[in-house]
Amino acid sequence: MNILGLLILLMHVALAKENKLSIGLIGDSTVATTYGWGPAFALEVNKNVNVLNYAKNGAALDSLSSKLDVLLKQKPNYVIVQFGHNDMKRYDTKAYGDKLKNYVKRITNAGSKAIIFSSVTRRNFDKHGKIEPRMINGRSLADYAQVAKFIATEMHVPFIDLNSISIKHHNKIGPKLSATYNFTETDTTHFSKEGAKAIAALIIKELKSVIPELGTHFK
């Protein structure tokens, strides 16, 4: 290859990198690469999309704050924020809302677009075969979902109510099929590969509706 050809090739590589869409994920273990929905989500994007998964097992908004800074240095176009499972064990909904608002401000100030998710449901069923919220310290994930929606509305950023969407989904398929989503037989929070894939499909469907410009970036 001559020098001109090499320069043209390098230019195309540079343009491809520049045009690549980047989506950051930050949240707890229900999003993380271990047994969250994040890896299944990453498999469903087109080759022009880079998914940066900064979610971590056991994380809450305050404990992953420094990781958000690391993520934002990579200049993602979008940052999906999903917390709640561990936050509800540590602080009340007001503190959660304040910390979530801080995340959105930092994401926006860095030039990225925040997308707030409410937490995917735990898969606990009542005697009628319907999802029954697990209470911790007198609070449920639904309480934190309401705050997430309020913050998204207040700060004018997109909101995906994954809590309600996933509850509706599991109520529809029932306990037996829902059990196939479990990471282990008794783990009704984290996901098997099949469960992660199903939740990722729900997320992508909703993203295409709420943020239409993302629609072409999925398979």
Side-chain angles (χ1 to χ4, degrees):
M1 182 182 294
N2 58 33
I3 294 177
L4 179 59
L6 180 60
L7 288 173
I8 292 172
L9 177 61
L10 290 173
M11 183 178 70
H12 282 302
V13 171
L15 285 172
K17 287 184 178 180
E18 186 177 329
N19 293 329
K20 201 173 182 78
L21 184 79
S22 181
I23 301 175
L25 307 179
I26 191 160
D28 53 41
S29 57
T30 63
V31 185
T33 56
T34 44
Y35 30 51
W37 55 257
F41 176 86
L43 290 174
E44 294 302 317
V45 300
N46 292 332
K47 61 182 180 180
N48 66 324
V49 180
N50 187 26
V51 176
L52 307 168
N53 194 337
Y54 276 71
K56 185 179 179 181
N57 294 358
L61 282 159
D62 53 359
S63 66
L64 220 57
S65 181
S66 61
K67 285 290 186 182
L68 177 62
D69 293 328
V70 177
L71 170 58
L72 292 177
K73 286 180 181 178
Q74 300 190 56
K75 302 294 182 183
N77 299 93
Y78 296 89
V79 178
I80 293 173
V81 182
Q82 187 217 283
F83 288 92
H85 281 267
N86 299 304
D87 303 80
M88 68 182 291
K89 302 172 186 177
R90 303 178 188 183
Y91 37 74
D92 61 19
T93 53
K94 183 183 183 304
Y96 171 78
D98 291 341
K99 295 172 193 295
L100 185 57
K101 185 183 292 187
N102 175 264
Y103 264 54
V104 174
K105 286 180 179 177
R106 288 157 62 191
I107 292 167
T108 303
N109 289 341
S112 301
K113 297 177 181 179
I115 306 171
I116 296 178
F117 280 25
S118 59
S119 291
V120 65
T121 188
R122 296 182 176 95
R123 299 177 299 280
N124 302 104
F125 289 85
D126 63 20
K127 62 182 181 180
H128 304 294
K130 300 298 181 183
I131 290 290
E132 182 176 47
R134 188 187 304 175
M135 304 300 294
I136 298 176
N137 299 324
R139 302 186 287 260
S140 73
L141 280 176
D143 298 327
Y144 289 76
Q146 290 178 6
V147 175
K149 182 178 180 179
F150 176 82
I151 297 299
T153 301
E154 181 183 34
M155 304 197 75
H156 307 289
V157 299
F159 174 66
I160 303 293
D161 192 359
L162 185 56
N163 187 255
S164 294
I165 292 168
S166 56
I167 288 174
K168 183 179 179 180
H169 174 74
H170 287 290
N171 283 341
K172 181 179 180 180
I173 66 175
K176 185 175 180 179
L177 187 53
S178 177
T180 66
Y181 289 29
N182 295 354
F183 182 69
T184 64
E185 185 177 351
T186 58
D187 186 343
T188 58
T189 299
H190 305 109
F191 301 108
S192 63
K193 288 184 178 180
E194 295 80 6
K197 185 176 180 180
I199 295 301
L202 293 175
I203 289 168
I204 291 168
K205 180 181 179 181
E206 196 68 14
L207 281 173
K208 287 179 178 180
S209 174
V210 174
I211 311 174
E213 60 267 28
L214 278 178
T216 59
H217 296 288
F218 295 104
K219 295 176 181 177

